[in-house]
Every structure is written in structure tokens, then in C-alpha cells.
């Protein structure tokens, strides 16, 4: 089914690249957590696209929330739109995925003709990309809260399947939503550094 994709694309002057956000279940492009990270990336000279992977009607069906192939397809469509935007022409593209969105980001990054410069997963479920993990070529940063033990184990298992450069960073004391003081700031800083390094090659 074709669905119109709309969102908020911000491309600062002299941007180093554009980060496309893939939110997780129960979240949206209005998520204060994603908007916080996006603002931090914008301040560092990185473009961002916040958009909804599913329509409200689709979100009502919980099966769609975990349909990683469907979500990845929407992410690929949004990526194509970013690359066609005059303000983002020629800029490297990265993915920031949260929860189930991380699985979709890695699934999309594994597409043979989709060149992605870097991926960051926040409290993500990279394991949901399953057999696609071995085909991911983009450097991948996995960020997990230190108190989010089940998700730590899922990220460790997923990292073992990745053939690309990868790093697993544990944010001490943070739970799944990184609501603790300073936790989200740490996520934003680590994501900024990861994207900046891999967008510029420095």
C-alpha cells in the first residue's frame, strides 16, 4: 500500500549529513526523546528527518508495529525523498533507530543499493533485523541503558551477527527510555560523535 510520507526535515547550512529517525513502538515523530536528540544533532551541523513510519490507522494494528519489513520499506522511501531534496543533495545519510525502529533501520541499511554512512540504535531491538544483520555495511553504534538488562543481551547477540564496524555502549543506570538525569544527553553526545565521525571520515 502506498502511503504519503511527511515529516520534518531540517538541514543546517553546510550540513555534514542527514540523520533519518526511525522511532519505535508506541512512539512517533513528536517523541520528546527523539526531538531532543534531533535538536542536539542540528546544533552540531547535522540534518535530521523526523517522520512517522506508520499512519494512526496502521498503528492500531499491533502486528504492523513489529512488521520490520514494512517499517524498513517506509524508511527506504523516506531515505529516497531525503536524497531527492535540493537541500540535502549529495549529503551522506545515517539512521537513528529506537526500539523496533532500530530493527527497521538495520534491515533498511542491509539493502544492497542503499548506501548508509552510519547507524545508531537507542534502546533498540537490532535483533529484529534477524538474518539481515550480517549484510549491514554501515558502522553501527548500539546504545543501551545499564538497567535495561534484557535489551543488553539482545544487543550483544545482534552485535555478534554484524560484520560491519560496531560498538556497544552501555549508559550506566539508564532504563529503556533513558529518562534518568543526564542519560539522554549522553545518548545525544554519543550519537553526534558517531555520525560526525562517519559522515566526515575523521
Amino acid at each position: 500500500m502506498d502511503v504519503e510520507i511527511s515529516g520534518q526535515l531540517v538541514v543546517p547550512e553546510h550540513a555534514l549529513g542527514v540523520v533519518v529517525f526511525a522511532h519505535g513502538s508506541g512512539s512517533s515523530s513528536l517523541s520528546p526523546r527523539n526531538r531532543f536528540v534531533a535538536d542536539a544533532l542540528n546544533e552540531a551541523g547535522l540534518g535530521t528527518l523526523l517522520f512517522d513510519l506508520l499512519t494512526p490507522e496502521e498503528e492500531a494494528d499491533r502486528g504492523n508495529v513489529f512488521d520490520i519489513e514494512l517499517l524498513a520499506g517506509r524508511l527506504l522511501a523516506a531515505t529516497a525523498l531525503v536524497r531527492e531534496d535540493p537541500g540535502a543533495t549529495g549529503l551522506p545519510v545515517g539512521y537513528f533507530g529506537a526500539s523496533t525502529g532500530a530493527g527497521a533501520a538495520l534491515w533498511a541499511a542491509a539493502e544492497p543499493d542503499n548506501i548508509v554512512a552510519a547507524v545508531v540504535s537507542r534502546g533498540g531491538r537490532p535483533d529484529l533485523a534477524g538474518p539481515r544483520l550480517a549484510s549491514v555495511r554501515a558502522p553501527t553504534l548500539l546504545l543501551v541503558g545499564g538497567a535495561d538488562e534484557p535489551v543488553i543481551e539482545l544487543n550483544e547477540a545482534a552485535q555478534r551477527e554484524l560484520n560491519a564496524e560496531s560498538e556497544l555502549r552501555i549508559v550506566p543506570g539508564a532504563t529503556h527510555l533513558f529518562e534518568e538525569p543526564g542519560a539522554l544527553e549522553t545518548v545525544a553526545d554519543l550519537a553526534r560523535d558517531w555520525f560526525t565521525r562517519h559522515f566526515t571520515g575523521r
Side-chain angles (χ1 to χ4, degrees), residues 23-142:
H23 63 77
S25 56
S27 186
S28 74
S29 61
L30 300 178
S31 160
R33 289 176 293 278
N34 282 346
R35 297 186 76 85
F36 180 90
V37 174
D39 287 344
L41 297 182
N42 293 155
E43 289 177 10
L46 303 174
T48 54
L49 173 65
L50 293 169
F51 78 107
D52 289 330
L53 291 165
L54 298 172
T55 66
E57 293 76 20
E58 288 171 332
E59 284 187 344
D61 181 349
R62 290 293 294 174
N64 288 329
V65 173
F66 289 93
D67 187 338
I68 301 303
E69 188 170 3
L70 169 64
L71 300 179
R74 297 286 168 79
L75 186 55
L76 288 167
T79 304
L81 292 175
V82 168
R83 289 182 168 134
E84 293 168 2
D85 188 273
T89 301
L91 292 177
V93 173
Y95 291 151
F96 183 94
S99 191
T100 53
L106 288 164
W107 186 290
E111 282 292 309
D113 58 350
N114 184 28
I115 300 174
V116 177
V119 176
V120 173
S121 162
R122 172 184 65 80
R125 291 289 309 277
D127 56 295
L128 293 176
R132 289 289 188 107
L133 288 171
S135 299
V136 173
R137 303 172 304 285
T140 300
L141 175 63
L142 305 171

